[in-house]
Amino acid sequence: MKEDILHNLKIINQRIKKACEKVGRNVDEVKLLLATKTVSAERIKIALESGQILIAENKVQELKEKYEDLKDITHQNHFIGHLQTNKIKDILKYDVACVQSVDRFDLAEKIHQRLSLEGKSIEILIQVNTSNEESKFGIHPDEAIDLVKKVAELDTLKIKGLMTIGLFSSETEKVRQCFKLLKNLQQKIIQQNISNVEMKELSMGMSGDLETAIEEGSTIVRVGTAVFGARIYPDSYYWDEKNKNL
Ligand SMILES: *Cc1c(COP(=O)(O)O)cnc(C)c1O
């Protein structure tokens, strides 16, 4: 088990390096974030002890379950799942450093209200639906800039960039269009010079498409199965609108 995880991490790091070299990027520009849904704390620990820092959960329940076991090991937790407003208190309680899945104003506003009460701030990314699939969360690309402007007025939220889940397809060029769209939005937002908005992070690319994402400018790749193996639940369990109350 341990060997597998360490071996897989090595391969992922080689893939990241190779993709960077292909387009002349510095490998330090791309962070590896481990998507740990369904992965036990014990297995996550193996990755953290080998020097990984960034992990992310999709569900507050899993964040909670693993919190005690992981809290003494250096790491940073991001949140990448659909977040219900009644769970906001919990993500703050369990030390989430960045919520990558902010995709609507009412959610941003409620996180802001909670943070204001606690006198805290948090980093966020705006999640954009670049694949035009109804089953995926994220703001429509045409509405993303307006959302960024509105959220920027909430001073406890530090906007660091954009996140997307690209199209699932074996046709690389179609997937690439999703990543190009996110990059394009990032550039447009930068040009608008909105105060309280940093646009340095592009969280895009997963086990199957991280090379394409890196070629298009990704700064955070979110990798699950390629490190920890296949999951028992289909991704629709985490991503579909109809499962959002789970
Ligand atoms: C599960 C998940 C990933 C990682 O997916 P893999 O294909 O297992 O690498 C990345 N991003 C999000 C939002 C996820 O839910």
Side-chain angles (χ1 to χ4, degrees):
M1 171 170 105
K2 180 168 177 182
E3 286 70 30
D4 286 347
I5 293 173
L6 298 182
H7 174 74
N8 292 343
L9 280 168
K10 206 165 121 187
I11 291 182
I12 286 293
N13 280 311
Q14 284 166 355
R15 284 175 61 188
I16 293 173
K17 184 160 172 266
K18 222 172 135 196
C20 285
E21 280 166 1
K22 184 174 167 193
V23 289
R25 295 185 62 194
N26 189 323
V27 72
D28 300 337
E29 292 171 27
V30 182
K31 292 185 274 285
L32 172 58
L33 175 145
L34 302 175
T36 52
K37 57 178 176 270
T38 75
V39 180
S40 68
E42 189 191 1
R43 302 176 72 218
I44 298 170
K45 260 187 194 171
I46 294 170
L48 295 177
E49 281 164 357
S50 81
Q52 295 301 310
I53 298 282
L54 272 183
I55 60 174
E57 290 293 348
N58 289 65
K59 291 194 181 289
V60 173
Q61 183 60 28
E62 285 192 54
L63 184 68
K64 195 168 162 178
E65 282 163 11
K66 301 171 201 176
Y67 180 75
E68 278 297 318
D69 286 336
L70 299 178
K71 77 175 185 343
D72 296 329
I73 310 176
T74 306
H75 70 281
Q76 206 187 73
N77 235 317
H78 287 205
F79 194 81
I80 57 176
H82 181 72
L83 182 57
Q84 288 175 264
T85 48
N86 64 356
K87 303 271 171 70
I88 290 170
K89 230 187 343 195
D90 285 335
I91 61 154
L92 303 180
K93 181 163 147 201
Y94 298 114
D95 296 335
V96 168
C98 178
V99 180
Q100 296 202 0
S101 46
V102 176
D103 60 358
R104 56 201 195 277
F105 186 69
D106 89 294
L107 173 65
E109 205 173 25
K110 291 199 168 106
I111 302 175
H112 169 69
Q113 283 163 0
R114 185 75 218 174
L115 287 164
S116 300
L117 282 176
E118 299 186 11
K120 291 186 194 162
S121 65
I122 200 168
E123 297 189 348
I124 63 162
L125 304 182
I126 299 294
Q127 181 176 357
V128 183
N129 183 345
T130 56
S131 62
N132 225 338
E133 289 167 291
E134 274 178 30
S135 64
K136 283 182 197 155
F137 297 110
I139 182 91
H140 189 282
D142 293 347
E143 296 161 20
I145 298 180
D146 280 344
L147 179 62
V148 168
K149 283 183 185 159
K150 278 173 77 181
V151 174
E153 289 174 14
L154 308 173
D155 63 1
T156 62
L157 304 182
K158 310 293 171 203
I159 306 177
K160 296 290 174 185
L162 305 174
M163 185 271 253
T164 199
I165 299 171
L167 184 74
F168 282 115
S169 166
S170 53
E171 292 177 65
T172 306
E173 289 318 303
K174 286 190 182 163
V175 179
R176 189 182 301 281
Q177 291 316 310
C178 298
F179 300 147
K180 276 192 189 297
L181 178 58
L182 201 71
K183 175 83 191 178
N184 210 315
L185 269 176
Q186 177 204 36
Q187 295 308 309
K188 281 189 189 153
I189 294 166
I190 290 172
Q191 280 165 15
Q192 302 222 357
N193 228 329
I194 308 161
S195 70
N196 191 30
V197 174
E198 256 186 77
M199 271 290 130
K200 61 176 185 189
E201 304 293 358
L202 280 182
S203 175
M204 56 190 199
M206 318 199 311
S207 293
D209 56 18
L210 66 92
E211 284 86 355
T212 311
I214 289 172
E215 286 166 30
E216 298 305 329
S218 172
T219 65
I220 303 173
V221 290
R222 307 179 308 269
V223 178
T225 41
V227 170
F228 298 112
R231 290 178 292 267
I232 51 167
Y233 298 110
D235 284 332
S236 58
Y237 176 75
Y238 289 91
W239 292 346
D240 269 9
E241 188 75 30
K242 59 181 179 295
N243 288 327
K244 75 176 168 191
N245 294 319
L246 289 171

